[in-house]
Amino acid sequence: MAKPDLYICHTAYHLLIALVRALRAGGGQAVWLSEQLPDAEALAASHKLDGIFSEVCVLHESRWQGTVTGPLAHIRNRRAYEKAGAGPVLDKHAYHTIYISNDWSAVGRYLQDCRAPYTLCEDTLGGTLDPDQHLLDEQRTAPDFKARREGQGYLYWGDSSVCQAVESENASQCVLFPPEKLLTFSKAELLESLSDEEKAAVRKVFLTRPLPDDPAVFSRATLLLPRSFVDDGRMDQDTQNRMFQAVARQYADGPLFIKTHPRDTTDYGALFPDAVVLERTMPSEVLNFCLPGKFRRAVTVQSWVLRGFTAAEENIFLSLEDALALIG
């Protein structure tokens, strides 16, 4: 009997991709859901993933208090993670391939401590092709980079020797890693090729309430896709509220829909009482194939969420500076 693959998901987008891959593998795969996913516990207990994944676990990475250093750090750190109950105890021989998109997470460190080979998936669509890779640049120019390459510490974003492969939307255009470490896996093509049965399975998992079924509603509507700059330490909540209100005034001249970021806890229902606020648990890509029509426009601020988004006639990307300037 073939070993299952393990998918480790920190966002709803990661789960969407894992879900489709597991469906095409015929089910029986394993998935670990980070507590960072909204309502992860409820989803795991809902049985919506039954038949697709034979193993569904929730990771409580916040229970892990931090990196252990010193002699045999990887062994001591692994034990500390397991003792804290941050996640299941890994049997690295139980899986064919371990897929993770955020290897800079606590469970990513745990994989390295277990010396468990893994494949790093793109965190966002085409993320390995972004021109700005300052996190990798900072890691590779750090004074201790060589020592960490030799196992004295952690390396993320695919630089660890434990990372056996890195997936890219287009490996031939990715210059971040040596060619022998790169694999092309197009998530755009994956999502564009969904069958009706696969679309129905995805909707069953992510949609918790029905959407309007009149195409005319969407043809006049604007979709606002905010993110939390408060959580990023970029501004206070009042400034962020006024900024998104200004963006909506500028671009929404019909019905307003809001697709909130999974980790954004702003009460957009109170901020925009006349808007339709879509659930945080749904990745925006699901809107590409669950609507009876297209939005007139979709607007976001300093986010790659609209990359690959096809559910609007017009996609508008605003820089943070442009959005703040609308406050007046």
Side-chain angles (χ1 to χ4, degrees):
M1 184 175 179
K3 294 180 181 180
D5 292 326
L6 170 61
Y7 298 93
I8 302 175
C9 303
H10 284 83
T11 71
Y13 173 71
H14 300 164
L15 178 56
L16 169 62
I17 300 302
L19 181 69
V20 178
R21 295 178 83 158
L23 283 168
R24 295 193 175 181
Q29 310 304 300
V31 64
W32 291 358
L33 306 174
S34 170
E35 62 189 348
Q36 295 178 20
L37 273 80
D39 302 326
E41 293 276 6
L43 176 58
S46 69
H47 301 294
K48 288 183 176 180
L49 300 175
D50 290 358
I52 304 171
F53 298 103
S54 59
E55 176 190 347
V56 180
C57 299
V58 177
L59 301 174
H60 299 279
E61 294 170 278
S62 60
R63 295 177 182 173
W64 187 63
Q65 296 303 308
T67 305
V68 177
T69 58
L72 300 177
H74 73 284
I75 296 175
R76 296 165 57 234
N77 199 64
R78 184 184 72 214
R79 290 173 178 170
Y81 176 97
E82 294 171 354
K83 185 177 180 179
V89 175
L90 176 68
D91 177 2
K92 63 182 180 182
H93 302 294
Y95 305 104
H96 180 266
T97 303
I98 299 174
Y99 293 99
I100 185 172
S101 295
N102 288 2
D103 68 346
W104 53 95
S105 59
V107 68
R109 292 190 286 266
Y110 178 59
L111 294 180
Q112 294 185 32
D113 285 326
C114 292
R115 303 297 193 258
Y118 64 85
T119 294
L120 181 68
C121 309
E122 285 184 312
D123 185 35
T124 57
L125 183 64
T128 59
L129 307 181
D130 286 344
D132 178 12
Q133 297 289 347
H134 63 279
L135 295 175
L136 262 177
D137 294 339
E138 291 169 9
Q139 175 168 272
R140 292 172 178 178
T141 56
D144 62 346
F145 178 67
K146 182 178 179 181
R148 291 162 73 186
R149 284 288 292 267
E150 295 172 352
Q152 301 176 39
Y154 298 105
L155 288 173
Y156 308 114
W157 304 289
D159 273 347
S160 169
S161 60
V162 182
C163 177
Q164 63 181 355
V166 178
E167 290 184 344
S168 172
E169 185 71 16
N170 189 332
S172 67
Q173 295 181 12
C174 179
V175 297
L176 302 176
F177 304 95
E180 61 271 16
K181 196 168 188 175
L182 284 166
L183 299 173
T184 292
F185 181 78
S186 174
K187 294 180 173 114
E189 292 180 3
L190 180 77
L191 296 178
E192 289 170 0
S193 66
L194 295 183
S195 67
D196 289 341
E197 292 78 9
E198 290 169 337
K199 291 177 182 178
V202 168
R203 289 194 294 267
K204 180 180 177 182
V205 170
F206 289 108
L207 288 181
T208 60
R209 57 182 182 269
L211 295 169
D213 57 7
D214 182 1
V217 172
F218 296 98
S219 67
R220 298 180 290 106
T222 296
L223 175 66
L224 175 64
L225 300 110
R227 52 170 280 197
S228 180
F229 294 96
V230 177
D231 289 345
D232 294 342
R234 306 286 292 276
M235 64 184 69
D236 58 41
Q237 187 68 56
D238 179 66
T239 301
Q240 178 175 288
N241 289 350
R242 291 188 293 116
M243 179 183 72
F244 283 126
Q245 287 173 324
V247 170
R249 284 194 301 270
Q250 178 72 20
Y251 291 100
D253 54 5
L256 177 63
F257 287 72
I258 299 175
K259 169 60 184 76
T260 61
H261 188 280
R263 291 189 292 274
D264 187 353
T265 58
T266 301
D267 187 352
Y268 288 102
L271 197 61
F272 298 97
D274 297 326
V276 176
V277 181
L278 304 174
E279 51 259 72
R280 294 188 300 130
T281 54
M282 176 182 65
S284 58
E285 290 80 6
V286 173
L287 294 172
N288 289 346
F289 51 81
C290 73
L291 301 178
K294 289 190 176 185
F295 292 102
R296 179 179 179 183
R297 61 173 62 97
V299 187
T300 192
V301 178
Q302 201 91 5
S303 170
W304 292 114
V305 67
L306 291 179
R307 180 187 285 159
F309 189 75
T310 61
E313 297 293 344
E314 178 186 16
N315 289 342
I316 299 174
F317 171 88
L318 298 176
S319 69
L320 184 56
E321 293 74 18
D322 290 339
L324 286 170
L326 295 175
I327 296 176

